[in-house]
């Protein structure tokens, strides 16, 4: 499956793509590079608010707590 079309612009992806945090890696594989990219809550936020969500907002919808 193709990567999410937002990959190069997405604050979450930029911030966490090099993370070794298992949870982040799982989300990236599921969402950004995987089958759930159409269900991404960051995209929903952007569509609703017309602006990018905070970088720490995860594609599943909640905030990252490191
Ligand atoms: S977090 Fe969402 S918008 Fe960002 S790259 Fe991943 S799937 Fe795309």
């Amino acid at each position: 499956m193709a990567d999410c079309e937002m990959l190069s612009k997405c604050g979450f992806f930029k911030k966490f793509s090099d993370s070794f945090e298992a949870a982040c890696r799982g989300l990236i594989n599921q969402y950004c590079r995987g089958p759930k990219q159409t269900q991404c809550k960051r995209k929903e936020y952007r569509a609703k608010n017309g602006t990018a969500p905070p970088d720490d907002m995860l594609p599943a919808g909640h905030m990252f707590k490191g």
Side-chain angles (χ1 to χ4, degrees):
M1 154 159 232
D3 291 346
C4 171
E5 74 283 1
M6 294 298 294
L7 218 60
S8 61
K9 294 184 214 139
C10 179
F12 163 78
F13 187 78
K14 280 186 195 159
K15 186 165 177 181
F16 295 107
S17 58
D18 294 335
S19 169
F20 291 106
E21 193 96 34
C24 290
R25 302 195 72 79
L27 287 167
I28 286 170
N29 289 336
Q30 281 296 305
Y31 287 86
C32 314
R33 298 191 185 280
K36 291 175 88 172
Q37 59 187 247
T38 55
Q39 297 161 45
C40 177
K41 297 288 184 198
R42 294 183 54 89
K43 287 185 191 172
E44 199 178 298
Y45 180 103
R46 189 185 280 266
K48 241 186 232 162
N49 298 284
T51 173
D55 293 351
D56 285 352
M57 181 182 171
L58 303 174
H62 51 285
M63 290 292 173
F64 177 77
K65 291 188 190 79

